[in-house]
Amino acid sequence: MTVTRPARLTGAALCAALALIAAVWILQDLAALGSPVDLAWYWAGDHHFLIRGRSTTSLIDPVLLAAYAATVVAALRSRHAASALAAAGTVTLALRRGPVRGGR
């Protein structure tokens, strides 16, 4: 599917905003935990670093950050960026939605 230039620019701007939000959250966690190594260990499952601060990100956030950056590049360079934009949106909704709970 071909996407018009204004639609591609809008999609790229939205993905850039999502990338900026993810980067800010990662930087806040980096400031709270002290070092990139500590943050990586926290993402890997070693939660004894909670003594120094509380993390708001997980291993999903750097993955989404990379996906958003790749989508921005694809949206700006290709007329056929609809699939990249749709995939970024779908992955974001799937990972950010949270657990599905039954009942009331």
Side-chain angles (χ1 to χ4, degrees), residues 25-95:
W25 285 346
I26 291 170
L27 289 174
Q28 285 178 344
D29 283 352
L30 188 58
L33 294 176
S35 76
V37 173
D38 291 346
L39 185 57
W41 277 111
Y42 180 83
W43 286 340
D46 188 2
H47 295 271
H48 82 276
F49 296 108
L50 287 176
I51 297 168
R52 286 191 263 163
R54 184 173 177 188
S55 177
T56 57
T57 61
S58 67
L59 189 56
I60 293 171
D61 292 291
V63 172
L64 284 175
L65 179 62
Y68 296 148
T71 303
V72 168
V73 171
L76 293 176
R77 292 185 173 246
S78 174
R79 293 183 316 142
H80 304 286
S83 58
L85 291 167
T90 302
V91 168
T92 300
L93 287 174
L95 294 177

